[in-house]
Amino acid sequence: MDLTFSPPLHKQRHQFVVDFVKRNKPKKVVDLGCGECTLLKMLKFHREIDLLVGVDVNGAKVKRKMHGLAPISTDYLEPSYDQLRVELYQGSVTQKDARFKGFDLVTSIELIEHLTPADVELFSEVVFGYMTPKTVIISTPNSEFNIFLPGVSNYRHSDHKFEWTRAEFRSWAMKVCLDYGYEVEFTGVGKAPQGQQEAVGFCSQIGVFYQLGGRDCCKTLLVNDAEDLFSYTLLYSINYPSLCDNNILRRVLVSEVLYWAEKLKNRWMEEQAGGICDAVALCQTEEGACAEEMKDLMEWSGASDSAEKEGSCTSSRIVAVPLDVLWSCCPKVSVLSGSLCNLKHLLMDEPNIKLSQDSSAVLVNHWEQDQEEKEDDYNLDDSGYPETSLHSNSAEQEEDWEANN
C-alpha cells in the first residue's frame, strides 16, 4: 500500500507539541533527545515560555544546529517584555541532573524506542521520579501500524531496540502512573487508511502524562540538595533581549526619545518657517492633541553645550522639546517609561540626551545645513525601525522508512 502522510509524520508530531504549548502555556519546557533542535526552533516563537531547554546524547549533532536558536534581528530591534532563556546540553536521559527538576513540560518525541529495556527503567525513574515535571509528552512508534509502511520488515529504524504495540505502550504507561503519581491520556498522529483506524491505531502513538496532586505513596526519588548531580554538559545558552532588562529598556527608550524629539523639532521648525498649516494638519492627523502642545516648543539661539565644552565659537539653534509633549505625543515613550516622572529620571544620566537646566525638556540642535537631512526625516516610518524580512529553514532527521519514502 502506498501510504503517505500530509503533513509529514515528523511535522505532525512536532505540531502536536506546539498545539499543546499554545493551549497550556508552560513556562519551563525541556525536550529530551532534541537532536537537531527542530522542535525547539518551533517553540522559541511561543514567548509564553521563559526557559527552553534541550538535551541529547549526541553533542556534535546539537552543536551543528544550536545557533539556529539564537535571537534574530527583530528580537534586538523591537524587544518585548517577554523573557526567554535557551539552554542546550549533552547528556543521557538515563542520568540525573538537578538543573532539570521541576519543569512544566517534558517532551520525548520518538526517543524511548532507542533505549534498551534496562535503560527504559532508568528513563522512567529519571523523568517521572527525579525530574517530577507537571506534564510529560511521549511519542513512540506503534508497531501494529508497520504493516502499512513500505520497506519495513522489522523495525522502522536500524537503531530501534523495540517497538511497542498499543497494549504494550499502555501497560508501561500505566505502571509509570502507578509508581510515580501521574495519570495519562492516549492519542497519536498519523491516521490509518480509511476503515483501519480502530484496528491498528495511529502510526505514532502518544501518551500525555499529568502529575497528580498527592505523591506521598509514590516512588519519588528523594535526593539531598547537597548531593545534587550535574551530569550534563552545557553546550549553549542565550538570553533573548527583553525590556525587563533595565539596560535594554533604557536603550530602546533613548532611541524613541531621540527619534520623536527630532521629528517634533522638524515639524515645529517648519511651522516657524511659514508652513504652519501643513505642519499642524499633519500633527493633528498623527498625534491628535500634539498640534496644540507643539506650541510649547521653544527655540534658543547661541552656543550648544558641546561647543561650550570644547571652547568653540560655533553657534547653533537649539529647540527645547518639553518632556510632557513627548509623553503626550509618543505612546511608546509613555509605555516604556511608565510615568512622566520616571521618564525624567531615566533620561537624566543618559550621555546621548541633552536636557534643559531644570530637566523638563530635551534639547535638540538645529543646523541650517541640515535641511536636506531634515526633509529625509519626514519619510521615516513612525516606528523608527527598518523593516526586516527573515526566513528560517530547518531539517529533521526522520526515521529510516520516512527518509526512504
Side-chain angles (χ1 to χ4, degrees):
M1 179 178 294
D2 185 13
L3 181 66
T4 58
F5 295 102
S6 181
L9 193 59
H10 70 269
K11 291 187 177 182
Q12 292 189 42
R13 291 190 290 258
H14 289 168
Q15 190 61 46
F16 180 90
V17 175
V18 170
D19 292 341
F20 183 91
V21 168
K22 287 180 179 178
R23 292 192 306 269
N24 296 277
K25 297 179 171 44
K27 295 291 185 182
K28 298 171 62 178
V29 178
V30 57
D31 182 31
L32 305 180
C34 63
E36 296 182 342
C37 308
T38 307
L39 177 58
L40 298 176
K41 291 173 185 175
M42 297 172 67
L43 293 177
K44 76 170 188 173
F45 293 103
H46 298 273
R47 300 301 290 273
E48 58 267 21
I49 299 174
D50 292 338
L51 177 61
L52 185 61
V53 178
V55 60
D56 198 281
V57 71
N58 190 337
K61 182 187 292 186
V62 174
K63 288 180 179 179
R64 285 196 299 268
K65 299 294 183 178
M66 63 186 185
H67 295 292
L69 289 166
I72 58 179
S73 299
T74 51
D75 292 318
Y76 291 101
L77 291 172
E78 299 183 16
S80 68
Y81 280 100
D82 298 322
Q83 300 182 76
L84 174 62
R85 177 172 175 81
V86 176
E87 297 176 355
L88 298 175
Y89 294 84
Q90 179 180 3
S92 169
V93 294
T94 63
Q95 295 178 311
K96 306 177 186 71
D97 191 297
R99 291 167 291 189
F100 282 59
K101 288 182 176 180
F103 275 72
D104 298 313
L105 174 63
V106 170
T107 62
S108 172
I109 307 303
E110 307 296 284
L111 167 67
I112 196 169
E113 64 274 7
H114 293 270
L115 306 178
T116 64
D119 283 343
V120 171
E121 289 299 315
L122 292 174
F123 171 86
S124 303
E125 293 179 5
V126 170
V127 173
F128 295 96
Y130 182 77
M131 294 173 62
T132 64
K134 294 180 180 178
T135 311
V136 182
I137 297 176
I138 295 178
S139 80
T140 188
N142 169 20
S143 64
E144 298 172 70
F145 202 99
N146 289 354
I147 60 174
F148 299 118
L149 304 180
V152 176
S153 58
N154 188 19
Y155 295 152
R156 302 181 191 179
H157 193 282
S158 58
D159 187 55
H160 286 185
K161 306 303 187 291
F162 61 87
E163 289 180 3
W164 279 329
T165 64
R166 287 174 292 170
E168 289 170 332
F169 182 45
R170 181 179 295 271
S171 176
W172 172 81
M174 297 307 294
K175 185 178 185 301
V176 163
C177 291
L178 181 63
D179 288 345
Y180 301 107
Y182 284 77
E183 60 182 359
V184 61
E185 296 176 356
F186 296 100
T187 183
V189 294
K191 291 184 177 181
Q194 188 173 4
Q196 301 292 325
Q197 184 66 37
E198 186 175 348
V200 300
F202 292 99
C203 186
S204 282
Q205 50 189 335
I206 296 175
V208 182
F209 298 79
Y210 298 93
Q211 187 182 52
L212 297 175
R215 299 174 58 88
D216 294 340
C217 62
C218 305
K219 298 194 303 185
T220 303
L221 302 182
L222 300 178
V223 180
N224 191 303
D225 288 342
E227 300 175 354
D228 275 347
L229 303 173
F230 300 94
S231 55
Y232 299 164
T233 301
L234 180 64
L235 301 177
Y236 179 78
S237 65
I238 187 73
N239 288 317
Y240 273 57
S242 169
L243 294 174
C244 293
D245 183 325
N246 196 51
N247 290 328
I248 293 176
L249 175 64
R250 281 178 176 270
R251 174 178 62 79
V252 175
L253 177 63
V254 168
S255 176
E256 286 293 319
V257 167
L258 288 173
Y259 169 75
W260 280 100
E262 185 71 20
K263 190 171 186 177
L264 293 174
K265 178 209 75 174
N266 288 337
R267 292 176 179 173
W268 186 82
M269 294 298 294
E270 182 175 313
E271 292 180 23
Q272 305 309 303
I276 185 167
C277 293
D278 291 340
V280 171
L282 182 60
C283 286
Q284 288 175 337
T285 300
E286 295 187 359
E287 284 94 26
C290 286
E292 291 299 321
E293 294 177 345
M294 280 184 63
K295 295 177 181 178
D296 295 332
L297 272 66
M298 300 174 292
E299 181 183 1
W300 296 353
S301 297
S304 66
D305 291 344
S306 58
E308 290 178 355
K309 291 179 181 178
E310 297 171 4
S312 171
C313 296
T314 302
S315 295
S316 65
R317 302 169 66 188
I318 299 175
V319 175
V321 182
L323 293 184
D324 57 353
V325 174
L326 281 168
W327 173 267
S328 301
C329 294
C330 318
K332 192 169 182 179
V333 170
S334 61
V335 169
L336 289 171
S337 56
S339 68
L340 185 57
C341 180
N342 198 38
L343 174 62
K344 180 185 297 187
H345 174 74
L346 290 169
L347 297 180
M348 285 182 66
D349 298 324
E350 281 297 327
N352 294 323
I353 298 288
K354 297 178 182 179
L355 294 178
S356 59
Q357 189 171 3
D358 62 357
S359 300
S360 65
V362 175
L363 305 182
V364 186
N365 288 334
H366 176 72
W367 304 87
E368 290 300 329
Q369 61 265 37
D370 289 340
Q371 290 301 315
E372 292 184 3
E373 295 180 9
K374 178 185 74 173
E375 296 195 0
D376 287 341
D377 288 338
Y378 291 123
N379 298 321
L380 289 176
D381 182 77
D382 284 352
S383 66
Y385 296 112
E387 293 185 1
T388 306
S389 177
L390 295 152
H391 302 275
S392 62
N393 297 293
S394 60
E396 167 72 9
Q397 182 176 354
E398 304 172 356
E399 305 289 7
D400 284 357
W401 70 269
E402 294 182 61
N404 293 332
N405 295 278

